Amino acid sequence: LFETDPSGALVAYKATCIGSGRPLVMDVLEKEYKDKMSLEAAVKLGLKALVAATEDTPSAESVEIGVIENGKKFRRLTKTEISKIVAKL
């Protein structure tokens, strides 16, 4: 992931976020992110980080998840896919 701030600085990350809950999310990502995570494990980690920042339980209706898999185009997960992952949290 690449982040460009208003000054034009470009920073590369393997896992990052922006916004008011950034410190809480980054704490989760720094402790639990692993190279070569499965797609499902990465999505679960993202949802766990979101919970840390919002203290709210995510649902298929409250989040949108987009993924880019190696060799494939960007796609959004369906509500059914999201519901299955949320159920495993």
Side-chain angles (χ1 to χ4, degrees):
L1 302 173
F2 295 94
E3 177 184 338
T4 304
D5 68 27
S7 72
L10 180 65
V11 183
Y13 295 97
K14 291 187 179 185
T16 192
C17 69
I18 58 173
S20 62
R22 187 176 198 278
L24 297 168
V25 171
M26 290 304 294
D27 186 52
V28 172
L29 295 178
E30 288 170 0
K31 289 178 182 172
E32 299 188 34
Y33 173 82
K34 307 277 189 266
D35 284 340
K36 309 276 185 186
M37 294 178 84
S38 69
L39 176 62
E40 184 174 330
V43 171
K44 280 183 187 177
L45 178 58
L47 290 171
K48 183 176 181 177
L50 182 63
V51 168
T54 63
E55 297 181 3
D56 195 14
T57 303
S59 69
E61 290 74 35
S62 67
V63 298
E64 285 187 62
I65 301 172
V67 298
I68 303 173
E69 296 178 85
N70 194 18
K72 297 181 181 179
K73 292 183 177 184
F74 171 85
R75 72 179 184 93
R76 287 186 175 93
L77 297 184
T78 65
K79 291 190 183 299
T80 302
E81 289 173 304
I82 295 170
S83 293
K84 288 178 182 176
I85 295 170
V86 167
K88 294 178 183 178
L89 286 180

